[in-house]
Amino acid sequence: FDFRAASKAGSRLSWMLGYNVYKSAVSDILELNFQRVGVEPGTTPPPAFSTRGGELKTTGHAIYGMVGYELSDKLNVQGELRYTIDDQAFTGFGSANAAQGKQSFKYLTPRFSVNWKPNRDLLVYATAARGVKTGAFNANAFNTDFFRYGSESNWTYEAGVKTSWLGGKLVANAGVFYVDWQDINAQKQMPFSTLAVIGNNGDAEVKGIEAQIAYKATRNLSLNASGALMDPKYKKGVFDGEVAYICGEIAGSTATNANCTANVGGNQIARASNKQFSVGSSWDIPEILTNVDGYLRADYSWQSSKYSTGMNLQEQGAISLVNARAGIKYGNFELAIWAKNLMDRKYVSRSSVVASTVDGGPLS
């Protein structure tokens, strides 16, 4: 449910005020349970390795508003603010017990922007905004301090330009950004266990620059390209709970000569690339039949190798993909065939660490 009131268009001062209510339910949650090896047979039956049937229900309420003002025909400013309350209720089965939990998240998410448009072909802008992702529950860590985990948040600052050339045939944009990331939600391991849970895993920052260009070469042919250079790093003092067990830096670890550390401050964020670019083209075919238009599209994307963990010791390899699409359009109808990863490249999409007997954990 969303209720919104706004000012009329055409005024220098604009405003908007709204109220939002929403509900969601995520069911059939997979829960994993582990038991150490060496337990005496016939004593306590081990927990189920996996169970299903959990449900996370969320009820949210939000009040939001916006105020904008045109300082001149070329310069305007805008401020937005949203106050949200998310109430969560979880029921399921974790650690061989009925897991139930409730928690509430209350947070403000403001956004501020300044736009300067000296002419129709140039826009210079700057924004600052806060984002929040709520926490949740680890069903298989019921009755421990790891059953609940908190929200993560970030402040994102961006400035850039958007330009148009050749009567609108060529569009070129560029921007720089900085993300101040707090309490990252990430995989981590529990003391005296190889059980992996989700938890708040410290702070990070991302600095970057990005650019896009699009060119209407002919009536039928369009070309585009984009790229980004980033520096995603953990802040000083971050203790990575994902690798703490195998580095022997968490209670219960049996690693005696790990030759690694879970102190990852200054390292590149796990599973985050620092370079990427893409190029693409499309060919429009008007009037294949009466009122039927066709098109062909192809795109190539590349991203640099990622580190599998915050230790930055093992890389997953770069990823380069080709996608293609062809279709026809008739009014509001479209029929298309498409292929993702057309060249059938093999690549690692994600890698996760699990403690093993080789790494010092009690089970693999």
Side-chain angles (χ1 to χ4, degrees), residues 167-183:
K169 290 184 178 181
L170 176 65
V171 174
N173 306 324
V176 294
F177 60 89
Y178 173 77
V179 181
D180 186 9
W181 203 352
Q182 307 289 324
D183 299 318

Side-chain angles (χ1 to χ4, degrees), residues 198-213:
I198 301 298
N200 299 101
N201 209 39
D203 305 338
E205 62 180 8
V206 184
K207 304 171 186 176
I209 181 171
E210 59 185 355
Q212 307 90 31
I213 188 169

Side-chain angles (χ1 to χ4, degrees), residues 112-172:
F112 308 98
S113 63
V114 178
N115 298 287
W116 179 54
K117 193 169 185 177
N119 57 64
R120 58 179 294 180
D121 296 323
L122 174 62
L123 170 66
V124 181
Y125 68 91
T127 63
R130 181 174 188 256
V132 175
K133 183 173 74 174
T134 59
F137 297 89
N138 293 302
N140 46 0
F142 185 55
N143 279 337
T144 74
D145 293 337
F146 296 87
F147 179 49
R148 294 176 173 86
Y149 61 92
S151 59
E152 68 175 51
S153 64
N154 68 55
W155 272 98
T156 299
Y157 307 92
E158 182 178 357
V161 295
K162 298 184 178 182
T163 66
S164 178
W165 308 80
L166 304 177
K169 290 184 178 181
L170 176 65
V171 174

Side-chain angles (χ1 to χ4, degrees), residues 271-311:
R271 294 176 284 273
S273 295
N274 59 7
K275 293 183 287 291
Q276 60 188 42
F277 75 86
S278 65
V279 293
S281 64
S282 63
W283 182 264
D284 295 325
I285 311 171
E287 294 293 328
I288 295 178
L289 299 171
T290 303
N291 297 325
V292 177
D293 300 326
Y295 65 86
L296 300 170
R297 294 178 187 167
D299 300 279
Y300 170 79
S301 64
W302 176 90
Q303 59 178 260
S304 61
S305 181
K306 310 171 187 177
Y307 290 108
S308 295
T309 72
M311 291 188 293

